[in-house]
Amino acid sequence: MHILITGGAGFIGSHVVAAARAAGHEVRVLDALLPAVHPGYPDGVPGLDGVELVTGDVRDAGTVDRALAGVDAVCHQAAMVGLGVDVQDMPAYAGINDLGTAVLLAAMARADVGRLVLASSMVVYGEGRYECPEHGVVPAAPRRRDDLDAGRFEPPCPVCGRQLSWGEVGEGTPADPRNTYAATKLAQEHLAAAWARSTGGGAIALRYHNVYGPHMPRDTPYAGVASIFRSALESGRAPRVFEDGGQQRDFVHVTDVAQANLASLAAPPPEAALRAYNVASGVPHTVGDMAGALAEAFGGPAPEVTGEYRIGDVRHVVASPARAEAELGFRAQVTFADGMREFATAPLRPAP
């Protein structure tokens, strides 16, 4: 299969490139190599030796048309990631993530390319699944600043105010994006579904959970928490854990994410316009657990729990991987212990 991988020079995209080539696919990469993410590469882009690279913006129709020539399927990884610093980031997120996806989909229709694997995210769920001892499964009420300032981090029942217990999020959970990045990822899914209905194409959205692994970008305002903790340790600083460290997440290794992309390409096209899958390990851990595991493997210093918070963060998001296993045959292979032990000393992507 001839695959176009947008964002293929990035952290996740480069691992998808490596996995696709190892599986015998022909690969072309489209990447803007934005200086906010990529440093200069005097010796060539790492991981792309022997790969055809089209350098350009996914929002440029002519560039995308050229990149799609002769392609059978697209893995769309290109995106602006992270929660954003503040609302001034909104135009950039919407431009890259949503306009870029719309331009790509229109070009795919012109080129008659009918297979799309979209990098989506668990952030489309907002808060995860919660249950009240009195009122059953309920949506978590938005967390209030005065509660967070007082160290009350668990979301309350919207009916009675009691503390809720968390559970696994399935793909049928209603979307509830709570920050700019989340809103743009959900919009990407809607655009892909509209394209599939209009063209008869097949679209799979992979809702990545907390991805980590070798060649993550170093600490930036948009970096994931694993990268931030690892960068702190490398600088001799204690990882600073927000809230009380009890936030539940599903940490999934980047090599497993790459395999989920290959499984999606090999699967029959979905019957619905778009089919979403959680890409997760299925074994949750707290953010505090992750900081502690990294610090121990790195040799310290121990994490510092700060009580600080970001208003756009959610408390618990834990995935059910059952649909991906049943329909794609995908199951994560890298355990939390092994993955964190490796990541503690794995190479990181140079800072731009």
Side-chain angles (χ1 to χ4, degrees):
M1 187 181 296
H2 191 177
I3 306 166
L4 174 66
I5 302 175
T6 71
F11 164 50
I12 296 175
S14 61
H15 284 273
V16 177
V17 169
R21 295 183 74 194
H25 296 295
E26 185 178 354
V27 172
R28 180 183 297 145
V29 167
L30 170 63
D31 201 298
L33 299 180
L34 295 175
V37 180
H38 298 276
Y41 297 121
D43 300 321
V45 181
L48 298 189
D49 292 342
V51 175
E52 182 184 358
L53 171 62
V54 178
T55 304
D57 197 314
V58 74
R59 293 169 290 185
D60 182 79
T63 299
V64 177
D65 284 339
R66 292 193 299 274
L68 284 168
V71 162
D72 302 307
V74 175
C75 280
H76 185 30
Q77 309 293 322
M80 188 171 181
V81 301
L83 298 182
V85 175
D86 58 37
V87 295
Q88 299 306 315
D89 282 335
M90 281 185 169
Y93 274 89
I96 293 172
N97 295 356
D98 297 339
L99 176 59
T101 298
V103 171
L104 172 66
L105 293 169
M108 288 176 65
R110 290 191 296 274
D112 196 26
V113 178
R115 288 297 298 273
L116 173 71
V117 178
L118 170 68
S120 187
S121 172
M122 58 90 172
V123 295
V124 302
Y125 297 122
E127 288 283 359
R129 183 183 185 276
Y130 291 92
E131 188 167 350
C132 172
E134 181 177 352
H135 297 99
V137 176
V138 293
R143 298 196 296 171
R144 301 178 302 182
R145 284 187 183 273
D146 56 348
D147 285 336
L148 297 170
D149 288 338
R152 295 188 293 269
F153 300 117
E154 296 293 338
C157 174
V159 181
C160 66
R162 290 188 185 183
Q163 182 173 317
L164 302 172
S165 59
W166 58 268
E168 287 187 335
V169 177
E171 291 85 348
T173 302
D176 183 21
R178 298 196 174 195
N179 56 60
T180 296
Y181 174 63
T184 64
K185 296 310 285 185
L186 184 59
Q188 284 185 312
E189 291 194 16
H190 290 321
L191 289 166
W195 162 82
R197 292 188 190 97
S198 178
T199 64
I204 286 176
L206 298 179
R207 292 174 176 168
Y208 301 160
H209 284 250
N210 289 70
V211 185
Y212 72 98
H215 307 296
M216 282 190 85
R218 292 182 182 274
D219 189 10
T220 77
Y222 305 94
V225 66
S227 176
I228 292 171
F229 289 169
R230 168 61 203 280
S231 294
L233 289 165
E234 201 166 43
S235 300
R237 295 178 284 111
R240 291 174 56 81
V241 180
F242 280 15
E243 301 185 17
D244 60 358
Q247 311 93 302
Q248 294 282 347
R249 296 290 188 269
D250 191 308
F251 298 97
V252 59
H253 197 272
V254 67
T255 56
D256 284 325
V257 172
Q259 291 302 317
N261 277 268
L262 293 193
S264 299
L265 289 167
E271 294 181 7
L274 178 139
R275 188 72 165 160
Y277 296 95
N278 289 325
V279 177
S281 73
V283 183
H285 292 272
T286 68
V287 173
D289 288 341
M290 191 265 285
L294 274 180
E296 181 179 1
F298 193 83
E304 175 188 349
V305 178
T306 69
E308 296 174 73
Y309 63 87
R310 294 188 300 182
I311 197 64
D313 279 349
V314 297
R315 181 63 176 173
H316 304 299
V317 185
V318 174
S320 168
R323 179 188 287 184
E325 184 170 4
E327 298 182 10
L328 300 179
F330 166 75
R331 185 178 183 86
Q333 299 299 311
V334 180
T335 67
F336 178 80
D338 289 345
M340 290 298 164
R341 191 178 304 113
E342 174 214 44
F343 182 56
T345 56
L348 297 181
R349 187 172 293 255

